[in-house]
Amino acid sequence: MSKISLQSMVTRNNDIVVGIIDEEIAMMNLETRELYHLNSSGKQIWDLLDRPQTIDDLCKVLGARYEVTSEACEKDILRFVEELAAQRIVLVG
């Protein structure tokens, strides 16, 4: 996998089955048959990925919602997307 940057385009993996429980998401990757859980913060990113987005776009939206520096937001979202990409929950291009 190539290095993920702020300009990387992120999309949902269509092989993920998703169930929403309150403010959290339970999901299963049909390819690996592994289960995953996203808390309310992760759910917000998943919801934003209803269409392909760059990481920079995600940072702009979430940075406007919360009182957080752009550096902290970028670091947290990059790390989170890297984790999701490693599990093939999202695809990065």
Side-chain angles (χ1 to χ4, degrees), residues 31-49:
E31 181 182 326
T32 64
R33 302 260 184 225
E34 296 206 27
L35 296 172
Y36 304 96
H37 178 266
L38 297 180
N39 63 19
S40 61
S41 299
K43 180 183 181 301
Q44 289 185 51
I45 293 173
W46 183 259
D47 290 346
L48 289 171
L49 291 174

Side-chain angles (χ1 to χ4, degrees), residues 41-82:
S41 299
K43 180 183 181 301
Q44 289 185 51
I45 293 173
W46 183 259
D47 290 346
L48 289 171
L49 291 174
D50 63 340
R51 63 180 178 82
Q53 304 257 352
T54 64
I55 292 178
D56 188 52
D57 291 337
L58 294 172
C59 291
K60 287 177 184 171
V61 171
L62 293 172
R65 287 185 189 171
Y66 301 101
E67 291 182 25
V68 62
T69 66
S70 59
E71 293 82 16
C73 190
E74 290 168 3
K75 179 182 171 188
D76 289 346
I77 292 176
L78 280 167
R79 184 178 63 239
F80 183 70
V81 169
E82 286 171 352

